[in-house]
Amino acid sequence: MSGNSELLYRAMENIVRNAITYTREGTTVELALSCEQKESGCEAVVQVMDRGTGVPEDQIKAIFQPFYRLDYARQRATGGSGVGLAIADRAIRLHAGQLNAANRPGGGLVVEIRIPCKVVVPR
Ligand SMILES: Nc1ncnc2c1ncn2[C@@H]1O[C@H](COP(=O)(O)OP(=O)(O)OP(=O)(O)O)[C@@H](O)[C@H]1O
Ligand SMILES: [Mg+2]
């Protein structure tokens, strides 16, 4: 695919940093990359999976809004400002893609990036 490597890098970096921040101590963050064949062509799929507390179902869309953070008091110490996922979401959408999150069976969150392989975005 052809895209803006700086924007894609920042999106990935934010998502992986979240996974490392929120996964339970001693657990592993996993990444998976695959390619799915769609009618419109190939779609790149990146999954970032952790073993943290996950996100309450009713807030799973809200975490993509700017400055949205779960449980402010508990997480103040972790120092984020709550913009990482909002920036990532915009970067992925600029590449005609989608960003989604889901709770995993067995605990933790999976954040999934999907980008069609043939998009062309100005550098
Ligand atoms: N992997 C995750 N597991 C559990 N909660 C998460 C995870 N990723 C994000 N969140 C929740 O979503 C909120 C928003 O995430 P986002 O990356 O936008 O902000 P942040 O990490 O708090 O700060 P910033 O990215 O700006 O440094 C987080 O504060 C956290 O509550
Ligand atoms: Mg973040």
Side-chain angles (χ1 to χ4, degrees), residues 13-19 21-22 69 80-86:
E13 193 274 336
N14 265 301
I15 293 163
V16 171
R17 190 153 39 86
N18 282 348
T21 303
Y22 295 110
R69 308 192 72 217
S81 52
V83 295
L85 284 177

Side-chain angles (χ1 to χ4, degrees), residues 61-77:
K61 293 269 181 252
I63 59 171
F64 297 103
Q65 289 166 17
F67 306 112
Y68 194 92
R69 308 192 72 217
L70 305 177
D71 191 351
Y72 284 79
R74 180 167 64 83
Q75 294 186 357
R76 201 164 290 149

Side-chain angles (χ1 to χ4, degrees), residues 38-59:
K38 300 267 158 178
E39 271 178 31
S40 50
C42 171
E43 199 165 77
V45 186
V46 182
Q47 291 175 316
V48 181
M49 297 164 277
D50 67 60
R51 286 292 183 200
T53 53
V55 173
E57 290 293 340
D58 62 344
Q59 293 177 65

